[in-house]
Every structure is written in structure tokens, then in C-alpha cells.
Amino acid sequence: MYEYISGKLAEVTPTYAIVEAAGVGYFINISLKTYSEIENSAEARLYVHFIVREDQQSLFGFSTKIERELFRRLISV
């Protein structure tokens, strides 16, 4: 559904980032690899995977398409 979200980094921790894009703050779960690549940046583009379950909706963000593809392969097992 979503390819990427690009915008200002409002907050970054080792487990999540909040990216402000068009006035909306997106809570995006991230990996430690992605954290190490964006932790000192003011802006970022995160390639996302959107998961909808009965009790929650989650965004997972990655700094590269390759990392996102690996995540998708792991959750398909």
C-alpha cells in the first residue's frame, strides 16, 4: 500500500522513529540497522511495510529496499 514515507524526523529511538510528513506524524517501528543510519539525520526516507491485524495497524520502516525485502521474506515463513 505505501512504498515509503519521507519527512522530518521528529523523534528517533533504537526501536521506532516518528516521521512528520505533510503535517502528520507517523510512528514507524525500525530496526537497529535503520536506527544507526538515521540517528543523526534531520530528515529521512523510510521504505515501509504496513501490517493490519484484528487488534492493531503497524508500520515497519527500513532505510533500504533490500532490508525491507528481507523482512518480508522472514515474515512470510
Side-chain angles (χ1 to χ4, degrees):
M1 179 172 190
Y2 302 110
E3 179 63 18
Y4 64 84
I5 295 177
S6 181
K8 177 185 167 190
L9 286 172
E11 186 177 342
V12 180
T13 73
T15 58
Y16 70 88
I18 298 176
V19 179
E20 183 180 334
V24 178
Y26 294 92
F27 183 97
I28 304 172
N29 297 287
I30 60 173
S31 66
L32 286 174
K33 180 182 182 309
T34 296
Y35 173 73
S36 68
E37 293 184 17
I38 67 169
E39 68 179 316
N40 296 318
S41 303
E43 294 195 1
R45 172 180 286 183
L46 296 177
Y47 296 94
V48 294
H49 181 82
F50 184 52
I51 295 178
V52 177
R53 295 191 177 128
E54 291 177 8
D55 59 340
Q56 92 184 67
Q57 297 179 17
S58 301
L59 279 170
F60 292 86
F62 307 94
S63 58
T64 65
K65 288 182 179 182
I66 294 169
E67 186 181 8
R68 181 181 63 183
E69 182 59 32
L70 178 60
F71 174 79
R72 287 177 172 170
R73 288 182 183 194
L74 286 171
I75 65 171
S76 70
V77 174

